[in-house]
Amino acid sequence: MEQINKPISSVRPCFLVQGNLITLPRGHVDNCVRVISSDGARTLETARGHCAPVTCLALSPDSNYLVTGSRDATVLIWRIHRASTSLSRTTSEPSMGSGTPTSTSSNTLANILADRSRRRRIEGPIHVLRGHLGEIICCCVSSDLGIVVSCSNSSDVLLHSIRRGRLIRQLVGVEAHAVCLSSDGVIMAWNKLLNTLSTFTLNGTLITKARLPFSCSISCMEISVDGQSALIGLNLCSENDRTSDNSKHLKSEKSGIGDDNVESYETNEDNRLEIHPPSICFFDMHSLKVFHTLKLSEGQDVTALALNKDNTNLLVSTADKQLTIFTDPELSLKVVDHMLKLGWEGDGLSPLIK
């Protein structure tokens, strides 16, 4: 198999899970997006549209749209269909009524083609989004807002419409290495060089910003479904990454790029966050103030996280090959109480019923 020399890095996950299906796009040398079954690891469908390897992807909250970014500096919008589990027999059986054999055969062929079209899980690409000058490093999409947000290393954050695929806004001067979009239309952006988190309206107006310690690096970030809070995975930044980021920062200062952003961040001394990695931090989306922190052990760098829709369970993957589920204590007690009412007994309950 052909190797890809340039590493693909992104704060967003490299795969998406929907029911018993896994969308696994990143890094394929044939520049495709693959849908793989989780039970047998079979490739169910392959979708092609990019001219270079896929670097990031995102699924809309209602699972109707998939967006993929690539090294070809484009973002593609795909429509997602929920494939039916059983096929209709009427599409394959000829009509028993009167009619010529030619019309019956023609209708049957049309029905088969229509059925195959309905069975496709990924339709498209329905739009090709342009405007970036380099590799797409992060993207996100909202069906309710009708917006796709994307960022790259060499251009500003861009907003495109889902309906027409047109560029509707450019956040001039906003350099981001990761972006998230809330249900309320708030964009959260992370600047790796300045180590800052910022929130913007869809019109590009800055809401608030916060600076993280330069010893920290964000590995992943998510926004709750209600759009009121955000959570990020913080890891200890390596010396190589720190040196590389500092050199890029100095180059941008010498070239005069981002001077206004640097000055504005340095004047905001009140929102400097003191966080010790590795940890998972919960932020208020409107103020970017930390209201809760989950401290992890040394060596447990966060690699991925996922929050369920009602904000009661958090799944965290760490570098020591562990999966940890953090649960709302009130929900845990309700589950235990329900299990006890059903007559369940076991040693696992002994610490709770002492």
Side-chain angles (χ1 to χ4, degrees):
M1 181 180 295
E2 182 181 350
Q3 297 294 322
I4 299 177
N5 295 326
K6 185 179 178 181
I8 294 177
S9 60
S10 175
V11 175
R12 306 296 296 175
C14 61
F15 61 90
L16 297 171
V17 179
Q18 181 185 14
N20 62 341
L21 304 177
I22 299 176
T23 306
L24 185 67
R26 285 175 51 184
H28 292 302
V29 293
D30 56 358
N31 313 325
C32 70
V33 177
R34 287 190 173 92
V35 178
I36 300 175
S37 63
S38 59
D39 52 357
R42 295 180 295 107
T43 299
L44 303 178
E45 191 171 329
T46 301
R48 292 179 173 85
H50 284 290
C51 301
V54 177
T55 54
C56 57
L57 80 160
L59 191 66
S60 61
D62 58 5
S63 301
N64 287 332
Y65 291 97
L66 171 72
V67 290
T68 57
S70 171
R71 288 181 186 160
D72 60 12
T74 65
V75 177
L76 300 184
I77 303 179
W78 312 79
R79 184 175 284 110
I80 301 298
H81 297 287
R82 294 172 177 83
S84 57
T85 56
S86 60
L87 300 179
S88 175
R89 294 183 180 180
T90 59
T91 60
S92 59
E93 294 180 358
S95 175
M96 299 301 295
S98 60
T100 61
T102 303
S103 61
T104 302
S105 176
S106 176
N107 291 336
T108 302
L109 179 60
N111 289 334
I112 292 175
L113 294 176
D115 179 68
R116 288 180 178 177
S117 177
R118 285 194 296 267
R119 288 166 56 191
R120 289 191 63 84
R121 295 173 175 85
I122 301 181
E123 175 191 351
I126 59 177
H127 291 300
V128 180
L129 311 184
R130 307 183 188 276
H132 287 287
L133 304 178
E135 173 185 329
I136 310 299
I137 55 178
C138 192
C139 56
C140 52
V141 58
S142 171
S143 300
D144 294 335
L145 300 174
I147 296 293
V148 176
V149 182
S150 56
C151 62
S152 65
N153 283 322
S154 54
S155 54
D156 302 325
V157 175
L158 302 183
L159 279 66
H160 291 81
S161 67
I162 294 179
R163 183 178 179 183
R164 297 182 180 274
R166 294 179 179 176
L167 177 64
I168 58 177
R169 181 133 343 243
Q170 178 180 358
L171 304 189
V172 180
V174 178
E175 182 179 2
H177 300 85
V179 288
C180 286
L181 180 61
S182 76
S183 57
D184 294 334
V186 176
I187 302 171
M188 183 171 68
W190 174 54
N191 187 312
K192 182 179 179 181
L193 303 182
L194 300 176
N195 243 35
T196 51
L197 274 175
S198 305
T199 53
F200 301 87
T201 65
L202 293 179
N203 291 327
T205 303
L206 176 67
I207 300 175
T208 186
K209 57 201 171 204
R211 170 172 284 180
L212 303 175
F214 277 101
S215 60
C216 297
S217 175
I218 294 180
S219 60
C220 46
M221 60 185 194
E222 295 288 341
I223 297 179
S224 61
V225 175
D226 57 13
Q228 299 302 308
S229 57
L231 60 157
I232 62 174
L234 281 178
N235 298 332
L236 185 64
C237 186
S238 64
E239 288 295 334
N240 293 335
D241 292 340
R242 202 175 307 167
T243 303
S244 176
D245 293 344
N246 289 337
S247 62
K248 291 179 181 179
H249 189 187
L250 290 175
K251 288 181 180 179
S252 65
E253 286 183 331
K254 291 180 180 179
S255 60
I257 299 175
D259 289 344
D260 295 337
N261 289 339
V262 174
E263 183 179 356
S264 63
Y265 281 119
E266 289 179 347
T267 57
N268 185 15
E269 299 289 340
D270 296 334
N271 212 6
R272 290 178 179 266
L273 306 177
E274 294 298 331
I275 308 172
H276 301 284
S279 60
I280 301 170
C281 297
F282 294 78
F283 291 82
D284 179 85
M285 276 294 294
H286 302 285
S287 63
L288 287 184
K289 298 290 186 181
V290 179
F291 62 84
H292 187 63
T293 301
L294 295 174
K295 188 71 176 69
L296 303 178
S297 303
E298 183 178 355
Q300 286 190 312
D301 287 348
V302 181
T303 57
L305 52 84
L307 185 68
N308 68 337
K309 292 184 177 181
D310 56 4
N311 300 337
T312 55
N313 292 285
L314 173 64
L315 178 64
V316 179
S317 169
T318 52
D320 57 354
K321 301 179 180 180
Q322 292 190 26
L323 281 174
T324 306
I325 300 177
F326 296 92
T327 306
D328 185 349
E330 294 183 1
L331 178 64
S332 300
L333 293 176
K334 291 180 180 179
V335 172
V336 170
D337 182 64
H338 179 67
M339 295 299 290
L340 288 173
K341 290 180 179 179
L342 294 177
W344 183 68
E345 297 179 0
D347 296 336
L349 289 178
S350 55
L352 299 175
I353 57 181
K354 282 183 179 179

